[in-house]
Amino acid sequence: MKKIALLCVAVLTVAGIFAFKTSASGEFEEEIAPIYGVKIPPGYRDWRLISVARVGDPLNDLRAKLGNDIAVKAYREGKLPFPDGTIIARLAWKQKTSETIKNAFRVRGGTETNLSPEQVEKLVDGSFVAGSPTNVQFMVKDSKQYASTGGWGFAQFNDGKPADEATHKTCFSCHEPAKDSDFVFTRYAP
Amino acid sequence: MKKIALLCVAVLTVAGIFAFKTSASGEFEEEIAPIYGVKIPPGYRDWRLISVARVGDPLNDLRAKLGNDIAVKAYREGKLPFPDGTIIARLAWKQKTSETIKNAFRVRGGTETNLSPEQVEKLVDGSFVAGSPTNVQFMVKDSKQYASTGGWGFAQFNDGKPADEATHKTCFSCHEPAKDSDFVFTRYAP
């Protein structure tokens, strides 16, 4: 009986540690975005690249669109509308300048290209790398669940937390001009 | 004897078809870049994203850096120098404007943000998506084979064809300013 009691204590302690870890790490806490009820898809940062973009002032960010396997397959096969199960992720980072890269351009521009010093500075001024992340957006295709918004559910997460309802109310109206490409702006970049 | 002869004809015919197919499809033709002898790594377009960048006028391109599994693991673990077997791919596309996206910004900017029409036009003027691909570059880590160039072999392919020797002579000198980060400019974008 004592042995069983000890075993129970051990089991409960281990279970408690795991429960605590699950909660503290946040890995299994599911944040749900308003209106469409979209969660952050696990492993999306490992998805394949669809394309890249840049948005001007005052946003001044650099963007990447990643797709799950269904999305990438549909893109490569030119399949429209996108099939149910498609998820497209839009990552964005504040653009920032890199002094190391600037100097490399200056060295290379001055010696190995036919650019004048003024032209090199112009190139350098317009060159950016990805800085801190801004937010992540997702489009999830489910033609039944999201029938009233072109079959798409939308979500935005800021630092892992869903943006507010007002933000999510703007998603579909903003994507409506892309109706001819199933409400998706991004084309596949070969 | 006749049977063996027929069998030989059959085998040679099949072998011939395969040889022809291999050659005609080009899939197994290996284009080798000068100096470092780097070939295009199979399946690199499916690799995971490291980061994105933009280069200013007169290049005006948008870029993505992809890494093989060894590269991405090293980046995420902050491992320097990169281990042998690391391959980093730099893809680039001419920036282009998208009228659909411009109009979406105009609609959204006018109704749902606090940007003035002039501010929206400024944002639109600085916004680009990926257009036609320019060239693809690779950095391949092999600390023995490429000992004299920081352990890296470099390659550039234009439309699948290796760039000339003169181009490849510029690779290492351009990357030397990034010596502190193992001659790699790009940081991992979370």
Side-chain angles (χ1 to χ4, degrees), chain B residues 19-55:
Chain B
F20 176 76
K21 278 202 168 171
T22 304
S23 171
S25 73
E27 200 176 346
F28 300 103
E29 280 176 23
E30 294 185 300
E31 295 279 1
I32 302 173
I35 301 181
Y36 303 96
V38 171
K39 301 167 192 168
I40 294 178
Y44 77 88
R45 186 60 184 76
D46 288 335
W47 290 351
R48 285 178 282 176
L49 179 74
I50 298 166
S51 191
V52 294
R54 189 227 178 192
V55 175

Side-chain angles (χ1 to χ4, degrees), chain A residues 45-46 76 93 128 189-190, chain B residues 45-46 49 54 76 93 189-190:
Chain A
R45 185 60 185 77
D46 289 336
R76 290 182 180 173
W93 303 268
F128 306 101
Chain B
R45 186 60 184 76
D46 288 335
L49 179 74
R54 189 227 178 192
R76 290 182 180 171
W93 302 269

Side-chain angles (χ1 to χ4, degrees), chain A residues 118-132:
Chain A
E118 293 74 25
Q119 286 173 317
V120 169
E121 285 309 306
K122 195 179 173 192
L123 180 146
V124 159
D125 282 344
S127 297
F128 306 101
V129 298
S132 55

Side-chain angles (χ1 to χ4, degrees), chain A residues 4 6 8 31 37 45 52 54 66 70 72 91 96 102 119 132 143 151 160 165 169 172 182 184:
Chain A
I4 292 172
L6 275 171
C8 285
E31 296 278 0
R45 185 60 185 77
V52 294
R54 189 227 178 192
L66 309 181
I70 299 172
V72 172
L91 292 74
K96 73 169 194 184
K102 277 188 174 184
Q119 286 173 317
S132 55
S143 52
E165 194 173 318
K169 276 187 177 163
F172 182 60
D182 195 24
V184 173

Side-chain angles (χ1 to χ4, degrees), chain A residues 1-133:
Chain A
M1 190 65 192
K2 202 177 162 186
K3 278 183 185 168
I4 292 172
L6 275 171
L7 185 69
C8 285
V9 169
V11 166
L12 289 171
T13 305
V14 170
I17 290 166
F18 269 100
F20 176 77
K21 278 201 170 173
T22 303
S23 172
S25 73
E27 201 177 344
F28 300 103
E29 282 174 21
E30 293 187 300
E31 296 278 0
I32 302 173
I35 300 180
Y36 302 96
V38 171
K39 300 167 192 167
I40 294 178
Y44 76 88
R45 185 60 185 77
D46 289 336
W47 290 351
R48 285 178 282 176
L49 179 74
I50 299 165
S51 190
V52 294
R54 189 227 178 192
V55 175
D57 189 72
L59 268 71
N60 292 318
D61 63 24
L62 294 171
R63 300 176 170 207
K65 324 294 169 80
L66 309 181
N68 68 357
D69 288 345
I70 299 172
V72 172
K73 188 169 183 283
Y75 264 116
R76 290 182 180 173
E77 292 174 356
K79 198 172 183 175
L80 279 180
F82 286 91
D84 281 4
T86 294
I87 310 181
I88 298 168
R90 192 279 279 142
L91 292 74
W93 303 268
K94 273 283 168 197
Q95 69 184 29
K96 73 169 194 184
T97 54
S98 159
E99 287 306 316
T100 315
I101 293 175
K102 277 188 174 184
N103 287 331
F105 276 130
R106 285 187 182 113
V107 170
R108 191 168 171 217
T111 59
E112 290 157 8
T113 71
N114 53 2
L115 298 182
S116 69
E118 293 74 25
Q119 286 173 317
V120 169
E121 285 309 306
K122 195 179 173 192
L123 180 146
V124 159
D125 282 344
S127 297
F128 306 101
V129 298
S132 55

